[in-house]
Amino acid sequence: MTAIVKMHKLNKHFGSLHVLKDIELEVAQGEVVVIIGASGSGKSTLIRCVNGLEEFQDGNIEVDGHSLIPHGKSHRALKAIRTEVGMVFQQFNLFPHMSVRDNVSLAPIKVRGTSRPAAEQQADTLLERVNILEQADKYPGQLSGGQQQRVAIARSLAMEPRLMLFDEPTSALDPEMIGEVLDVMRKLAREGMTMMIVTHEMSFAREVADRVVFIHQGSIVEEGTPEQVFDTPQHPRTQSFLARVLSH
Protein backbone atom coordinates (compact mmCIF):
# COMPACT_ATOMS: atom_id res chain seq x y z
CA MET A 1 0.00 0.00 0.00
CA THR A 2 1.18 3.53 -0.79
CA ALA A 3 2.03 5.59 2.29
CA ILE A 4 0.17 8.90 2.21
CA VAL A 5 1.79 10.14 5.43
CA LYS A 6 5.40 9.51 6.45
CA MET A 7 6.88 10.89 9.67
CA HIS A 8 10.57 10.43 10.35
CA LYS A 9 12.32 11.36 13.62
CA LEU A 10 9.69 14.03 14.26
CA ASN A 11 10.46 16.23 17.28
CA LYS A 12 8.34 19.06 18.59
CA HIS A 13 9.07 21.41 21.50
CA PHE A 14 6.95 24.03 23.19
CA GLY A 15 9.75 26.02 24.80
CA SER A 16 11.54 23.65 27.16
CA LEU A 17 8.74 21.08 26.92
CA HIS A 18 9.58 18.19 24.58
CA VAL A 19 6.13 17.30 23.25
CA LEU A 20 6.91 14.82 20.44
CA LYS A 21 9.97 12.60 20.61
CA ASP A 22 11.46 10.92 17.53
CA ILE A 23 8.06 9.96 16.07
CA GLU A 24 8.23 7.35 13.30
CA LEU A 25 4.84 6.74 11.72
CA GLU A 26 3.42 5.92 8.30
CA VAL A 27 -0.21 5.91 7.23
CA ALA A 28 -1.18 3.97 4.12
CA GLN A 29 -3.73 5.14 1.61
CA GLY A 30 -7.18 3.96 2.71
CA GLU A 31 -6.00 3.18 6.25
CA VAL A 32 -7.76 4.35 9.42
CA VAL A 33 -5.22 5.06 12.15
CA VAL A 34 -6.59 5.90 15.59
CA ILE A 35 -4.27 7.65 18.06
CA ILE A 36 -4.96 7.14 21.76
CA GLY A 37 -3.29 8.23 24.97
CA ALA A 38 -3.78 10.32 28.08
CA SER A 39 -4.52 14.05 27.88
CA GLY A 40 -1.30 15.95 27.30
CA SER A 41 0.49 12.98 25.70
CA GLY A 42 0.98 14.77 22.36
CA LYS A 43 -1.82 13.19 20.30
CA SER A 44 -3.40 16.40 19.04
CA THR A 45 -0.02 18.04 18.46
CA LEU A 46 0.96 15.07 16.30
CA ILE A 47 -1.91 15.40 13.85
CA ARG A 48 -1.72 19.22 13.89
CA CYS A 49 1.85 18.86 12.59
CA VAL A 50 0.55 16.90 9.59
CA ASN A 51 -1.16 19.92 8.04
CA GLY A 52 1.24 22.53 9.39
CA LEU A 53 -0.94 23.93 12.16
CA GLU A 54 2.02 23.26 14.45
CA GLU A 55 5.62 23.81 13.43
CA PHE A 56 8.17 21.19 14.44
CA GLN A 57 11.86 21.53 15.20
CA ASP A 58 13.48 18.32 13.91
CA GLY A 59 12.73 15.49 11.48
CA ASN A 60 10.38 15.62 8.53
CA ILE A 61 6.84 14.86 7.45
CA GLU A 62 5.80 13.87 3.96
CA VAL A 63 2.11 14.12 3.05
CA ASP A 64 1.06 12.76 -0.33
CA GLY A 65 4.52 13.47 -1.74
CA HIS A 66 4.82 16.99 -0.28
CA SER A 67 7.58 17.43 2.32
CA LEU A 68 7.28 19.62 5.39
CA ILE A 69 10.58 20.69 6.92
CA PRO A 70 11.36 22.07 10.41
CA HIS A 71 10.44 25.59 11.52
CA GLY A 72 7.58 25.97 9.05
CA LYS A 73 9.77 26.82 6.04
CA SER A 74 7.65 24.82 3.59
CA HIS A 75 5.19 27.37 2.23
CA ARG A 76 4.52 25.78 -1.18
CA ALA A 77 4.24 22.29 0.29
CA LEU A 78 1.99 23.61 3.05
CA LYS A 79 -0.40 25.18 0.56
CA ALA A 80 -0.60 21.93 -1.41
CA ILE A 81 -1.11 19.85 1.73
CA ARG A 82 -3.89 22.06 3.04
CA THR A 83 -5.88 21.61 -0.16
CA GLU A 84 -5.51 17.82 0.10
CA VAL A 85 -5.99 17.33 3.84
CA GLY A 86 -9.30 17.90 5.66
CA MET A 87 -9.28 18.69 9.37
CA VAL A 88 -12.13 18.41 11.87
CA PHE A 89 -11.53 19.97 15.29
CA GLN A 90 -13.11 19.70 18.74
CA GLN A 91 -14.74 23.08 18.09
CA PHE A 92 -16.73 23.35 14.89
CA ASN A 93 -15.25 26.64 13.58
CA LEU A 94 -18.23 27.32 11.31
CA PHE A 95 -18.98 30.85 10.10
CA PRO A 96 -21.97 31.90 12.22
CA HIS A 97 -23.23 34.51 9.72
CA MET A 98 -23.41 32.04 6.83
CA SER A 99 -25.95 29.31 6.15
CA VAL A 100 -24.96 25.67 6.46
CA ARG A 101 -24.90 25.35 2.66
CA ASP A 102 -22.70 28.43 2.30
CA ASN A 103 -20.30 27.15 4.96
CA VAL A 104 -19.78 23.97 2.96
CA SER A 105 -19.56 25.59 -0.49
CA LEU A 106 -17.24 28.48 0.45
CA ALA A 107 -13.83 26.75 0.13
CA PRO A 108 -14.43 25.17 -3.31
CA ILE A 109 -15.56 28.58 -4.60
CA LYS A 110 -12.66 30.54 -3.06
CA VAL A 111 -9.82 28.02 -3.35
CA ARG A 112 -10.73 25.88 -6.35
CA GLY A 113 -12.65 28.47 -8.37
CA THR A 114 -15.72 26.22 -8.52
CA SER A 115 -18.84 28.04 -9.76
CA ARG A 116 -21.39 28.84 -7.08
CA PRO A 117 -24.15 26.61 -8.55
CA ALA A 118 -21.76 23.65 -8.82
CA ALA A 119 -20.39 24.25 -5.32
CA GLU A 120 -23.88 24.48 -3.84
CA GLN A 121 -24.95 21.29 -5.60
CA GLN A 122 -21.86 19.54 -4.22
CA ALA A 123 -22.63 20.98 -0.75
CA ASP A 124 -26.13 19.50 -0.85
CA THR A 125 -24.72 16.11 -1.88
CA LEU A 126 -22.26 16.19 1.03
CA LEU A 127 -24.88 17.37 3.52
CA GLU A 128 -27.01 14.41 2.46
CA ARG A 129 -23.98 12.16 2.94
CA VAL A 130 -23.67 13.29 6.58
CA ASN A 131 -27.46 13.06 7.08
CA ILE A 132 -28.16 16.75 7.54
CA LEU A 133 -29.43 18.09 4.19
CA GLU A 134 -32.69 19.23 5.76
CA GLN A 135 -30.71 21.88 7.74
CA ALA A 136 -28.97 23.39 4.68
CA ASP A 137 -30.70 26.79 4.91
CA LYS A 138 -30.23 27.23 8.66
CA TYR A 139 -27.40 29.00 10.44
CA PRO A 140 -24.92 27.16 12.69
CA GLY A 141 -26.38 28.74 15.83
CA GLN A 142 -29.70 27.06 15.08
CA LEU A 143 -28.15 23.59 15.14
CA SER A 144 -27.16 21.20 17.92
CA GLY A 145 -23.48 20.51 18.55
CA GLY A 146 -23.69 17.15 16.83
CA GLN A 147 -25.33 18.72 13.78
CA GLN A 148 -22.68 21.45 13.64
CA GLN A 149 -19.90 18.85 13.78
CA ARG A 150 -21.48 16.96 10.89
CA VAL A 151 -21.56 20.21 8.90
CA ALA A 152 -17.87 20.67 9.75
CA ILE A 153 -17.16 17.19 8.36
CA ALA A 154 -19.11 18.00 5.17
CA ARG A 155 -17.14 21.24 4.83
CA SER A 156 -13.85 19.31 5.01
CA LEU A 157 -15.10 16.77 2.46
CA ALA A 158 -15.98 19.59 0.05
CA MET A 159 -12.31 19.96 -0.84
CA GLU A 160 -12.22 16.26 -1.82
CA PRO A 161 -9.34 15.54 0.57
CA ARG A 162 -6.98 12.60 0.21
CA LEU A 163 -6.65 12.48 3.99
CA MET A 164 -8.95 13.44 6.87
CA LEU A 165 -7.64 14.42 10.30
CA PHE A 166 -9.97 14.31 13.31
CA ASP A 167 -8.86 15.95 16.56
CA GLU A 168 -11.17 14.61 19.28
CA PRO A 169 -14.24 15.46 17.20
CA THR A 170 -16.74 14.37 19.86
CA SER A 171 -15.12 15.74 23.02
CA ALA A 172 -17.14 18.99 23.02
CA LEU A 173 -20.47 17.19 22.45
CA ASP A 174 -23.20 16.11 24.81
CA PRO A 175 -23.29 12.30 25.17
CA GLU A 176 -26.48 11.87 23.14
CA MET A 177 -24.92 13.70 20.16
CA ILE A 178 -21.68 11.73 20.03
CA GLY A 179 -23.24 8.75 18.25
CA GLU A 180 -24.46 10.73 15.24
CA VAL A 181 -20.95 12.08 14.57
CA LEU A 182 -19.31 8.68 15.05
CA ASP A 183 -21.86 7.18 12.62
CA VAL A 184 -20.68 9.57 9.91
CA MET A 185 -17.05 8.70 10.62
CA ARG A 186 -17.86 4.97 10.44
CA LYS A 187 -19.42 5.57 7.05
CA LEU A 188 -16.31 7.39 5.82
CA ALA A 189 -14.14 4.51 7.05
CA ARG A 190 -16.29 2.00 5.15
CA GLU A 191 -15.99 4.14 2.02
CA GLY A 192 -12.18 3.91 2.19
CA MET A 193 -11.30 7.42 3.36
CA THR A 194 -7.77 7.66 4.75
CA MET A 195 -8.12 8.97 8.30
CA MET A 196 -6.01 9.84 11.32
CA ILE A 197 -8.27 10.11 14.37
CA VAL A 198 -7.47 11.29 17.88
CA THR A 199 -10.24 10.10 20.18
CA HIS A 200 -11.13 9.08 23.73
CA GLU A 201 -13.92 6.83 22.41
CA MET A 202 -12.27 3.44 22.89
CA SER A 203 -15.14 1.27 21.61
CA PHE A 204 -15.24 3.39 18.46
CA ALA A 205 -11.44 3.09 18.09
CA ARG A 206 -11.69 -0.69 18.38
CA GLU A 207 -14.44 -0.79 15.76
CA VAL A 208 -13.10 1.48 12.99
CA ALA A 209 -9.31 1.40 13.29
CA ASP A 210 -7.08 -0.60 11.02
CA ARG A 211 -4.29 0.33 13.42
CA VAL A 212 -4.21 1.81 16.90
CA VAL A 213 -1.25 3.95 18.01
CA PHE A 214 -0.71 4.56 21.74
CA ILE A 215 1.29 7.67 22.66
CA HIS A 216 2.75 8.26 26.12
CA GLN A 217 4.57 11.49 27.00
CA GLY A 218 5.34 12.29 23.37
CA SER A 219 6.54 8.84 22.28
CA ILE A 220 4.82 6.03 20.41
CA VAL A 221 5.13 3.16 22.87
CA GLU A 222 2.82 0.66 21.18
CA GLU A 223 0.94 0.18 17.93
CA GLY A 224 -0.93 -2.66 16.31
CA THR A 225 -4.35 -3.90 15.30
CA PRO A 226 -7.22 -3.05 17.66
CA GLU A 227 -7.18 -6.68 18.85
CA GLN A 228 -3.46 -6.52 19.63
CA VAL A 229 -3.57 -3.19 21.46
CA PHE A 230 -6.86 -3.59 23.33
CA ASP A 231 -6.87 -7.32 24.06
CA THR A 232 -3.17 -8.09 24.57
CA PRO A 233 -1.28 -4.82 25.17
CA GLN A 234 2.43 -5.48 25.59
CA HIS A 235 3.75 -2.27 27.14
CA PRO A 236 3.08 -1.57 30.85
CA ARG A 237 2.09 2.03 29.99
CA THR A 238 -0.52 0.81 27.52
CA GLN A 239 -1.81 -1.72 30.03
CA SER A 240 -2.23 0.84 32.81
CA PHE A 241 -3.83 3.42 30.46
CA LEU A 242 -6.38 0.92 29.12
CA ALA A 243 -7.12 -0.46 32.58
CA ARG A 244 -7.93 3.08 33.67
CA VAL A 245 -10.05 4.20 30.71
CA LEU A 246 -11.88 0.94 30.11
CA SER A 247 -12.96 0.64 33.74
CA HIS A 248 -15.10 3.81 33.47
Side-chain angles (χ1 to χ4, degrees):
M1 293 286 281
T2 310
I4 198 164
V5 178
K6 297 178 184 177
M7 299 182 181
H8 178 59
K9 290 201 177 304
L10 181 70
N11 283 272
K12 164 72 181 171
H13 300 262
F14 286 120
S16 61
L17 192 63
H18 197 174
V19 186
L20 296 175
K21 303 168 185 172
D22 288 331
I23 296 290
E24 299 276 344
L25 183 64
E26 292 194 358
V27 179
Q29 191 171 336
E31 189 178 21
V32 178
V33 174
V34 176
I35 302 163
I36 62 172
S39 295
S41 59
K43 310 182 299 294
S44 293
T45 303
L46 177 71
I47 65 166
R48 288 170 67 88
C49 286
V50 173
N51 67 346
L53 288 174
E54 295 286 359
E55 295 180 7
F56 55 95
Q57 283 72 41
D58 293 296
N60 58 61
I61 302 176
E62 192 177 296
V63 183
D64 204 18
H66 305 288
S67 291
L68 292 176
I69 55 176
H71 305 291
K73 297 173 181 172
S74 330
H75 301 300
R76 283 178 64 182
L78 200 52
K79 191 175 178 185
I81 286 168
R82 285 186 177 160
T83 62
E84 295 176 22
V85 177
M87 178 106 186
V88 178
F89 303 88
Q90 295 178 34
Q91 305 302 330
F92 323 120
N93 299 337
L94 299 172
F95 293 112
H97 63 288
M98 297 172 69
S99 72
V100 163
R101 182 181 289 109
D102 287 343
N103 264 282
V104 177
S105 59
L106 180 67
I109 292 170
K110 295 287 187 188
V111 179
R112 291 252 163 93
T114 307
S115 71
R116 179 170 293 279
E120 289 182 348
Q121 186 174 3
Q122 181 200 29
D124 283 359
T125 300
L126 291 170
L127 290 169
E128 188 168 23
R129 191 169 163 192
V130 299
N131 303 318
I132 203 165
L133 178 58
E134 73 281 359
Q135 310 292 349
D137 296 315
K138 291 187 177 176
Y139 290 88
Q142 297 173 284
L143 306 182
S144 71
Q147 290 172 324
Q148 289 187 61
Q149 192 61 294
R150 284 186 281 154
V151 174
I153 293 172
R155 180 184 57 186
S156 289
L157 292 172
M159 289 298 286
E160 298 175 352
R162 307 247 303 138
L163 168 70
M164 286 282 282
L165 308 175
F166 292 87
D167 185 9
E168 299 192 21
T170 60
S171 65
L173 301 178
D174 293 332
E176 66 270 18
M177 295 174 188
I178 290 172
E180 61 194 53
V181 174
L182 296 181
D183 282 344
V184 169
M185 294 170 67
R186 286 186 187 97
K187 187 175 174 185
L188 291 176
R190 287 195 300 270
E191 292 169 357
M193 174 64 74
T194 311
M195 299 196 278
M196 295 178 72
I197 304 169
V198 171
T199 186
H200 290 295
E201 301 287 335
M202 294 299 141
S203 59
F204 172 72
R206 179 192 282 272
E207 181 188 344
V208 302
D210 295 305
R211 187 156 40 112
V212 176
V213 174
F214 173 66
I215 294 186
H216 176 72
Q217 294 181 351
S219 297
I220 294 177
V221 298
E222 189 157 355
E223 61 180 298
T225 65
E227 293 75 23
Q228 289 169 332
V229 173
F230 287 116
D231 297 338
T232 54
Q234 300 301 302
H235 197 284
R237 294 289 186 190
T238 320
Q239 293 165 3
S240 61
F241 170 76
L242 290 172
R244 195 167 67 248
V245 298
L246 296 176
S247 64
H248 289 307

